Amino acid sequence: MTAAPNKPPLRVVLCSPRGFCAGVVRAIDVVERALQIHGPPVYVRHEIVHNRTVVDALRAKGAIFIEDLSEAPAGPHPVIFSAHGVAKAVIEEAKMRSLFTIDATCPLVTKVHREAHAHFKRGRRIVLIGHPGHPEVIGTMGQLPPGAVTLVSTVEEVEALAADGGEIAYVTQTTLSLDDAREIVAALEQRFPAIHAPPVEDICYATTNRQGAVKAAARAVEAFIVVGAANSSNSMRLREVAEREGCAAQLVADVGAIDWAALNGVRSLALTAGASAPEALVERIVEALAERFAIALETLTTASETVAFPLPRALREAV
Ligand code: SF4
């Protein structure tokens, strides 16, 4: 990028990794493959991933997004479950109605479901660390009978947990803030020293890597832009991580949502994208920055990613 005489200089640090994770790539592929194989429409329960651009693009190709299974007719057109996972009751309802379903739940969410099942089988009380109302949390809690899983989202809620003397275990939402989760886990371990922890961290590699990149970049810049939806848990956590490091951070769905006045006088800025935000949105923001500033673009890489998940068997076999 060449400096223009009338534009103020701006150092722009692109975080890497950023944007799509392997679970989101797979979920989008599932919908696209299902459309190719079965033809439109395909029904998708809940936003396949939390991003309006992605949802609109799939809708234009013939996906119909529904919130309730009752909106999907029985027949040859599949109903796809989103990357966040679904409660057992939803799967059972689909079976009862003989719906043709394809599960796009991220394998790393399924891993948490399996852990919860394993603890339940061993008679353990299960604590889920997560955000109330998030579809992933609803899906994980819904793997087991009501009352088997207790949701906590703060240290105070851990302190209020009753001790019944039985075995206890915890699992977590995959997109938590690493720092928040650490505090809550420490409180759980203090209150229940024998608590069973996940064999491998439940917070997924993509959440960990994106937060790590934001933390490193935030220490070197004055402001932050996080591209992502307001209902995207991992995107919200990225903004929080930047703010904790002292950066004025904006979470924007797209270039049109940027608060340009907040960037007056800013000389250095970092840019990242949540796990469900397409790279094209980042590119448009870089272009918009270049129209207003003489930008010097650099990339800060804190991890490399090679994770990829295969499509569900039903789609692999059909292909
Ligand atoms: S953020 Fe993590 S758990 Fe969620 S879809 Fe992506 S890889 Fe899977």
Side-chain angles (χ1 to χ4, degrees):
M1 302 276 175
T2 50
N6 299 325
K7 297 179 188 176
L10 181 69
R11 184 174 151 237
V12 178
V13 178
L14 286 174
C15 292
S16 174
R18 64 177 177 276
F20 279 2
C21 61
V24 164
V25 169
R26 177 178 181 267
I28 295 168
D29 280 354
V30 165
V31 180
E32 290 186 335
R33 250 352 137 76
L35 281 163
Q36 282 167 11
I37 295 166
H38 302 286
V42 302
Y43 294 85
V44 184
R45 187 181 175 279
H46 194 66
E47 290 184 329
I48 185 77
V49 299
H50 282 153
N51 188 275
R52 178 62 36 201
T53 307
V54 171
V55 166
D56 287 347
L58 293 173
R59 190 179 281 125
K61 293 178 184 175
I64 295 178
F65 290 87
I66 58 174
E67 283 307 313
D68 196 280
L69 278 191
S70 62
E71 299 166 61
H77 297 288
V79 181
I80 298 171
F81 296 143
S82 82
H84 304 102
V86 289
K88 277 268 183 289
V90 175
I91 295 169
E92 275 152 25
E93 183 190 341
K95 270 189 198 150
M96 288 226 323
R97 291 194 46 218
S98 302
L99 295 177
F100 167 27
T101 59
I102 301 174
D103 190 358
T105 303
C106 175
L108 298 182
V109 175
T110 304
K111 166 187 156 290
V112 178
H113 293 178
R114 290 210 186 99
E115 280 166 30
H117 275 290
H119 291 308
F120 185 69
K121 264 198 191 161
R122 289 172 174 78
R124 295 171 185 156
R125 182 174 155 209
I126 300 156
V127 175
L128 167 63
I129 307 173
H131 297 285
H134 190 277
E136 182 187 322
V137 165
I138 294 169
T140 301
M141 294 191 78
Q143 296 305 303
L144 296 171
V149 182
T150 307
L151 178 65
V152 297
S153 49
T154 63
V155 168
E156 292 70 37
E157 285 170 4
V158 171
E159 283 159 4
L161 286 173
D164 63 6
E167 278 199 69
I168 185 164
Y170 75 87
V171 296
T172 81
Q173 190 177 338
T174 57
T175 51
L176 295 180
S177 147
L178 289 160
D179 291 336
D180 288 349
R182 209 169 285 130
E183 280 176 24
I184 297 172
V185 168
L188 276 169
E189 288 175 341
Q190 192 177 15
R191 188 148 169 65
F192 306 101
I195 193 165
H196 295 270
V200 180
E201 180 68 78
D202 287 337
I203 297 177
C204 77
Y205 81 96
T207 300
T208 305
N209 290 346
R210 279 150 193 69
Q211 288 182 20
V214 166
K215 210 172 218 182
R219 291 175 184 152
V221 297
E222 299 159 59
F224 227 107
I225 293 179
V226 178
V227 190
N231 61 344
S232 158
S233 173
N234 79 83
S235 303
M236 285 191 280
R237 304 293 85 79
L238 294 178
R239 180 181 59 188
E240 289 168 9
V241 169
E243 284 172 343
R244 277 192 193 176
E245 295 300 322
C247 266
Q250 307 184 31
L251 173 63
V252 299
D254 56 30
V255 66
I258 293 176
D259 176 1
W260 292 105
L263 300 182
N264 279 342
V266 167
R267 306 291 289 264
S268 59
L269 170 127
L271 185 54
T272 190
S276 46
E279 182 63 10
L281 298 177
V282 174
E283 287 166 5
R284 267 175 238 146
I285 288 176
V286 172
E287 284 165 18
L289 287 168
E291 283 166 16
R292 291 166 174 81
F293 299 92
I295 66 169
L297 202 55
E298 60 189 84
T299 299
L300 177 67
T301 304
T302 50
S304 65
E305 293 181 346
T306 53
V307 179
F309 299 127
L311 287 173
R313 186 175 298 152
L315 290 175
R316 288 203 307 269
E317 284 168 1
V319 169

